[in-house]
Amino acid sequence: MDELATEHAGKATFLLVNVRGIDDAKQYKSAKSLTSPDLVHASGQAPGEYALKYIPHKVVIDKSGKVVKNFDGVDLAADVKSQL
């Protein structure tokens, strides 16, 4: 995800939602060596529209805010490129 966030900086936003809290999110970012300043960490409940099934969970949302792909069959590189 770090490479994708760097590659698509200014064109796409990658959101890492952590439901355990901001400290856990910071530890995750560090442990995964995520360095892109475009990665956003949040804490609390993910929006219901994400329809989270499992953790980790990937959702692709288009420019209008519509969920276009949700968990099953998500290929971040290809799916993000198709939405740009």
Side-chain angles (χ1 to χ4, degrees):
M1 187 181 309
D2 204 44
E3 294 92 12
L4 289 172
T6 300
E7 178 183 345
H8 299 297
K11 299 180 279 182
T13 300
F14 293 84
L15 177 66
L16 300 174
V17 178
N18 186 301
V19 296
R20 293 186 197 136
I22 196 68
D23 290 335
D24 192 65
K26 288 177 183 177
Q27 288 175 3
Y28 178 86
K29 184 176 180 182
S30 177
K32 296 294 184 180
S33 299
L34 301 174
T35 60
S36 173
D38 293 330
L39 291 177
V40 178
H41 289 270
S43 63
Q45 187 75 19
E49 292 82 6
Y50 291 4
L52 296 182
K53 295 180 187 178
Y54 311 103
I55 296 174
H57 188 101
K58 297 173 186 163
V59 178
V60 178
I61 302 169
D62 70 10
K63 293 175 186 176
S64 71
K66 178 183 173 191
V67 173
V68 294
K69 236 176 190 186
N70 195 348
F71 189 75
D72 296 320
V74 172
D75 176 340
L76 278 181
D79 295 333
V80 167
K81 189 174 182 179
S82 75
Q83 295 302 314
L84 297 177

